[in-house]
Amino acid sequence: MRSFGPCFSSARGGDGAPRREPRLRVRRPQVRVGLVRALGSVQLAVTLAERWRLRGREQEGTIVMCEPPRRFGGGVTLCGEEATAGDGCAGTLSLIDQIHGSHAPLGRFAFSSSSQPLSSTCESKHCARVVSLFSSYLLTHILVIILPSLQSPPTFGFLLDIDGVLVRGHRVIPAALEAFRRLMNSQGQLRVPVVFVTNAGNSLQHSKAQELSALLGCEVDADQVILSHSPMKLFSEYHEKRMLVSGQGPVVENAQGLGFRNVVTMDELRMAFPLLDMVDLERRLKTTPLPRNDFPPIEGVLLLGEPVRWETSLQLIMDVLLSNGSPGTGLATPPYPHLPILASNMDLLWMAEAKMPRFGHGTFLLCLETIYQKVTGKELRYEGLTGKPSILTYQYAQDLIRRQAERRGWVAPIRKLYAVGDNPTSDIYGANLFHQYLQKATRGGAPELGAGGPRQQQPSASQSCISILVCTGVYNPRNPQSTEPVLGGEQPPFHGHRDLCFSPGLMEASHVVNDVNEAVQLVFREEGWASE
């Protein structure tokens, strides 16, 4: 951006003739204050550099001229070309505020290219802030006016895990509140795009958004939340099939929200074939019911999260797979390949209020895989795996970040993603795996990544995904039961899913910090951003 051109005010000199203001140019980034005394009059030239840096972040500046009231008529002229970077105004911008007396109150004042008076309360994004105001013995009004925070549009975004990063169970982690105070501007809006990526899946998307809004004191939209099964919206080829759904909570509503129009719950299947559920003696029938032949075959299995009764779900899923979708009949030879399975959330463990991690859906999947292998001698296969650490989930999150930036009018492409999590096996592994994928895609082609890979290879604006590990959840270096990677010794047990190749380097975070507040501060330093 070139230096501002000459600035002219409509002020007149003591003889009534129009007076030409001196030409000011900024030659290098700095903040300069000039004070010139001449024959009992004072002229103040406050120069906010055309381009100046605040903690490494370039900001827009302009020139402020102020004259004594008796010479200037009480006006202040704000001059400069394209001083607001993107507001479309060029030429002279006037700050209209009539100053009376030797002091004026500190406050906010809007400016525009029109000559209409503007109120002292500014809702516009083009809002100047009076940061200091003095009065000399010559009644010279000295104002230092800082333009609004004109940081360049963000070129980075956050992918935030929820459990163990922002909350523990139903309790918010105090550092999360501090983090969001930094992330929000004075109008309560996020300063950068943020998406919440959780492997939980037992609630509705809008319900999770409302919960986060209440806990964090920040308005969270449903399209900022990615549940473990959210990317299943992309599996449209299965949306019309009759799918057996497993999980807990509003499983039918969740499945329908993902696009699956014909679902059967575990309870519906158990009621249709009551002889299948035999583990719980209290639920066994006392009489033998008549066989049913009016139950349409099941065409696939949808695993949205860990169920309540694992033994029932494991038994009925196996019955469906071994019978090719008709559990009321028996087959001499189990079909292979079996019916398609879509699964979300591969977390072996997760952190709640308890001192030790709890079983996650990954543990349930491990049970199902082991049983199927033992019974058939073959490997259970998935048509789709969603949730962290799958590439598909990060690709889906990246797209939501892009859409969020577009809605906010941030035109700069989001080049860098910062993924903050507490679980090395899912959060860190996934972020690093996605970073590896982005790097290979940038160099001309990404590898095939199986059931957890992208549905289609699309050009990506993002060039990197930086992993940040916090110590408020599963990972805790002070806890001997932590999943902390072992350095220079025996390899730690791999808690990732069977279909993910174990690579110890992918579990090592780019940064390790105490909590999410430190993570946000770290990112702001890396990007040269200042806290509001």
Side-chain angles (χ1 to χ4, degrees):
M1 182 173 176
R2 63 181 182 276
S3 298
F4 297 130
C7 171
F8 300 95
S9 76
S10 59
R12 294 176 179 270
D15 56 2
R19 177 169 50 79
R20 180 185 178 95
E21 298 290 356
R23 182 185 183 96
L24 292 177
R25 281 193 180 276
V26 180
R27 297 186 178 180
R28 61 183 182 276
Q30 61 180 340
V31 177
R32 182 185 304 170
V33 177
L35 181 62
V36 180
R37 296 179 178 272
L39 300 177
S41 66
V42 177
Q43 172 181 312
L44 171 70
V46 179
T47 303
L48 298 182
E50 176 191 14
R51 304 287 287 181
W52 63 286
R53 294 180 181 274
L54 177 61
R55 295 188 184 179
R57 170 60 57 183
E58 291 186 346
Q59 304 235 342
E60 299 296 331
T62 188
I63 298 170
V64 177
M65 300 295 296
C66 184
E67 290 291 329
R70 67 177 184 274
R71 300 283 301 278
F72 195 68
V76 176
T77 302
L78 182 68
C79 308
E81 294 182 353
E82 301 177 347
T84 57
D87 67 337
C89 299
T92 300
L93 303 177
S94 296
L95 174 64
I96 310 300
D97 178 52
Q98 297 301 319
I99 302 176
H100 299 287
S102 61
H103 288 80
L106 299 179
R108 288 180 176 271
F109 302 87
F111 62 89
S112 72
S113 58
S114 70
S115 59
Q116 297 295 324
L118 299 169
S119 66
S120 60
T121 57
C122 174
E123 300 297 333
S124 168
K125 65 180 180 180
H126 311 304
C127 180
R129 180 161 55 94
V130 179
V131 295
S132 62
L133 180 63
F134 308 90
S135 175
S136 74
Y137 66 95
L138 294 175
L139 297 181
T140 300
H141 293 269
I142 303 174
L143 294 96
V144 178
I145 301 179
I146 304 296
L147 289 179
S149 178
L150 292 177
Q151 288 172 317
S152 302
T155 58
F156 64 98
F158 283 95
L159 308 181
L160 299 180
D161 184 28
I162 297 178
D163 293 301
V165 174
L166 304 177
V167 300
R168 290 280 296 266
H170 297 288
R171 180 177 58 85
V172 66
I173 296 173
L177 300 177
E178 291 296 325
F180 273 84
R181 290 189 187 101
R182 299 179 187 277
L183 287 169
M184 292 188 296
N185 61 22
S186 57
Q187 285 76 44
Q189 296 176 315
L190 288 168
R191 302 166 62 195
V192 299
V194 175
V195 166
F196 303 88
V197 188
T198 177
N199 269 355
N202 56 4
S203 64
L204 296 172
Q205 199 170 8
H206 68 83
S207 299
K208 180 61 73 172
Q210 291 173 353
E211 178 186 348
L212 287 172
S213 298
L215 289 172
L216 299 174
C218 169
E219 184 177 354
V220 177
D221 295 328
D223 54 7
Q224 287 179 266
V225 177
I226 300 180
L227 303 175
S228 61
H229 45 64
S230 295
M232 287 185 180
K233 294 176 183 177
L234 304 176
F235 290 81
S236 56
E237 64 269 38
Y238 300 104
H239 288 173
E240 300 298 332
K241 293 185 178 295
R242 185 171 169 84
M243 304 290 286
L244 174 66
V245 59
S246 171
Q248 58 182 291
V251 291
V252 173
E253 292 90 336
N254 270 326
Q256 291 174 345
L258 297 171
F260 297 92
R261 298 173 180 84
N262 189 1
V263 296
V264 179
T265 67
M266 288 293 171
D267 282 341
E268 289 172 338
L269 183 62
R270 186 178 67 85
M271 295 300 293
F273 302 99
L275 294 180
L276 300 181
D277 186 18
M278 302 293 288
V279 175
D280 188 345
L281 297 178
E282 297 295 327
R283 299 208 300 181
R284 286 186 185 180
L285 294 179
K286 307 303 180 186
T287 59
T288 302
L290 294 175
R292 290 188 56 173
N293 55 13
D294 60 344
F295 194 83
I298 291 171
E299 300 173 286
V301 180
L302 187 61
L303 306 178
L304 298 185
E306 60 268 26
V308 175
R309 287 179 171 269
W310 287 32
E311 77 286 352
T312 297
S313 295
L314 289 169
Q315 179 68 75
L316 268 59
I317 292 170
M318 284 295 298
D319 289 336
V320 167
L321 295 178
L322 296 178
S323 66
N324 204 32
S326 300
T329 62
L331 294 179
T333 304
Y336 197 82
H338 52 69
L339 294 175
I341 300 176
L342 303 177
S344 67
N345 185 0
M346 296 167 273
D347 282 353
L348 187 76
L349 304 169
W350 68 286
M351 200 69 187
E353 287 103 337
K355 300 297 183 182
M356 298 176 62
R358 305 292 87 195
F359 289 156
H361 192 222
T363 306
F364 179 83
L365 297 180
L366 178 62
C367 293
L368 180 61
E369 293 157 8
T370 304
I371 294 171
Y372 188 87
Q373 175 77 37
K374 194 71 172 177
V375 171
T376 67
K378 297 181 174 63
E379 185 177 81
L380 189 77
R381 298 173 57 183
Y382 299 94
E383 296 302 316
L385 283 169
T386 66
K388 296 174 291 187
S390 72
I391 292 292
L392 178 59
T393 294
Y394 287 88
Q395 188 181 47
Y396 189 82
Q398 172 191 245
D399 189 55
L400 293 191
I401 286 280
R402 178 187 58 80
R403 295 183 192 179
Q404 188 180 147
E406 290 176 353
R407 288 196 304 271
R408 292 292 301 275
W410 294 325
V411 295
I414 304 301
R415 299 293 188 189
K416 187 180 295 185
L417 300 175
Y418 289 92
V420 184
D422 70 305
N423 192 330
T425 306
S426 58
D427 301 316
I428 303 307
Y429 192 103
N432 290 338
L433 188 64
F434 187 54
H435 176 77
Q436 190 179 82
Y437 169 80
L438 290 175
Q439 296 294 297
K440 292 181 179 179
T442 302
R443 293 193 295 266
E448 176 61 39
L449 295 169
R455 298 290 285 162
Q456 53 186 349
Q457 296 184 7
Q458 299 175 339
S460 170
S462 298
Q463 298 174 344
S464 62
C465 184
I466 309 303
S467 58
I468 304 178
L469 181 63
V470 299
C471 304
T472 51
V474 170
Y475 175 81
N476 185 350
R478 294 176 297 275
N479 184 349
Q481 298 298 324
S482 170
T483 57
E484 178 184 7
V486 178
L487 300 178
E490 183 181 347
Q491 292 291 348
F494 180 53
H495 291 171
H497 189 262
R498 175 203 67 189
D499 290 357
L500 299 174
C501 59
F502 177 47
S503 176
L506 293 179
M507 294 176 62
E508 296 179 7
S510 301
H511 305 278
V512 180
V513 296
N514 286 321
D515 51 50
V516 66
N517 185 38
E518 288 190 10
V520 170
Q521 293 182 70
L522 169 69
V523 172
F524 278 9
R525 286 195 302 271
E526 292 283 323
E527 296 295 325
W529 275 50
S531 299
E532 285 278 296

